[in-house]
Amino acid sequence: MNILAIDVGTSSARGILYDGEGRSQFIHPVTYSVYFPGENLVEQDSGDFDSAVAEICAAAAAWAKDRGQTVDALSLTAQRSSIIPVNKQGEPLRPAIMWQDKRNEGIAAALGPREKEIYALTGARINTVFSGTKMTWLRREEPEIYEKTYKICTIADYLTLKITGQFRTDHTYGSRSLLMNLKTRQWDRHLLDIFQVEQEKLCELVSPGTVIGTVTEDYARRTGLAVGIPLVSAG
């Protein structure tokens, strides 16, 4: 069995193909760059992440095929607090707002008096990094995009959608949003009200280590991976 582990970071993505004994057989990195459209603004073209991961998958599939082997499973992890609003077809409606973007400073500051109740539910303190205040900013400052948004994805959620067609996320990404109750591991109604985000715009929560979906026919054609191989969320 060969497992392709993919890590999607801020400035690069890399894939490592491991055999069944955990030995590294093949490594393929891809670099990309964020851009800075204004003061405190940090964005990236979501297509950068998609094309990088597709390239990694295709390179690993080709390497394995040349040796009479196969890629038998995928494992995906990514940086956790950037957001990508997408429509029902999974098409991004704007560039990704990156985790280090600080356009939400005013919202985070205004929520300061409520930090104690937020901390009690989430185990995390208010800051500009976590995605909840970025979603609040999107609703207030770009209402026309928010209205068209079917799901607000993390980078991992967006890539999961590309690979499997599923709108799913895991608890580790939820825990970096200030919207998930740490005890129930579900989106919390009280927190959603505080941050003014509708639950239907968030992806389904599952446990890390879950088979979050399987490779679709479209993605198999695109990369050379086999249809139906599992994708595990490696939170």
Side-chain angles (χ1 to χ4, degrees), residues 13 28 30-32 47-57:
H28 189 83
V30 181
T31 60
Y32 39 69
D48 290 349
F49 306 119
D50 178 32
S51 60
V53 171
E55 178 182 325
I56 289 166
C57 290

Side-chain angles (χ1 to χ4, degrees), residues 3-227:
I3 300 171
L4 178 59
I6 303 167
D7 176 23
V8 182
T10 302
S11 57
S12 68
R14 75 286 312 164
I16 304 178
L17 188 65
Y18 293 98
D19 66 15
E21 312 242 327
R23 293 174 298 211
S24 170
Q25 302 187 88
F26 173 78
I27 300 174
H28 189 83
V30 181
T31 60
Y32 39 69
S33 300
V34 299
Y35 58 91
F36 305 87
E39 185 177 0
N40 290 330
L41 306 181
V42 188
E43 298 184 348
Q44 188 155 347
D45 183 345
S46 303
D48 290 349
F49 306 119
D50 178 32
S51 60
V53 171
E55 178 182 325
I56 289 166
C57 290
W63 184 93
K65 183 178 180 180
D66 286 347
R67 288 155 182 79
Q69 301 179 39
T70 56
V71 176
D72 302 300
L74 305 176
S75 178
L76 176 68
T77 188
Q79 43 118 324
R80 279 168 165 65
S81 300
S82 304
I83 65 167
I84 304 170
V86 302
N87 62 19
K88 200 165 188 177
Q89 291 71 45
E91 299 163 338
L93 298 173
R94 69 167 336 278
I97 299 176
M98 299 297 285
W99 62 268
Q100 64 270 59
D101 186 287
K102 292 185 178 181
R103 71 187 72 197
N104 53 346
E105 276 185 320
I107 293 169
L111 288 172
R114 307 195 73 170
E115 184 170 68
K116 187 174 180 180
E117 63 181 301
I118 292 169
Y119 178 77
L121 294 169
T122 66
R125 301 193 182 281
I126 298 169
N127 60 62
T128 59
V129 172
F130 292 164
S131 58
T133 51
K134 298 183 192 301
M135 298 182 199
T136 306
W137 182 93
L138 183 69
R139 177 171 183 165
R140 292 181 183 177
E141 303 300 327
E142 296 183 350
E144 70 290 348
I145 290 178
Y146 186 86
E147 183 64 27
K148 295 175 184 176
T149 297
Y150 179 65
K151 298 292 181 184
I152 303 173
C153 296
T154 67
I155 292 167
D157 305 342
Y158 176 66
L159 294 169
T160 294
L161 175 65
K162 288 291 185 179
I163 296 167
T164 72
Q166 302 293 323
F167 285 102
R168 288 179 178 161
T169 193
D170 81 34
H171 299 141
T172 66
Y173 301 98
S175 72
R176 301 275 293 186
S177 68
L178 298 176
L179 302 177
M180 188 190 82
N181 186 306
L182 198 61
K183 294 179 180 178
T184 66
R185 288 172 291 179
Q186 298 295 325
W187 301 122
D188 188 276
R189 175 52 55 193
H190 182 56
L191 293 168
L192 293 170
D193 288 345
I194 290 174
F195 288 87
Q196 301 176 319
V197 177
E198 287 92 355
Q199 183 170 336
E200 58 265 27
K201 291 190 183 289
L202 302 176
C203 295
E204 175 191 357
L205 283 163
V206 300
S207 297
T210 295
V211 174
I212 205 164
T214 58
V215 171
T216 64
E217 290 184 5
D218 285 344
Y219 206 73
R221 283 193 294 270
R222 184 179 175 192
T223 61
L225 293 172
V227 175

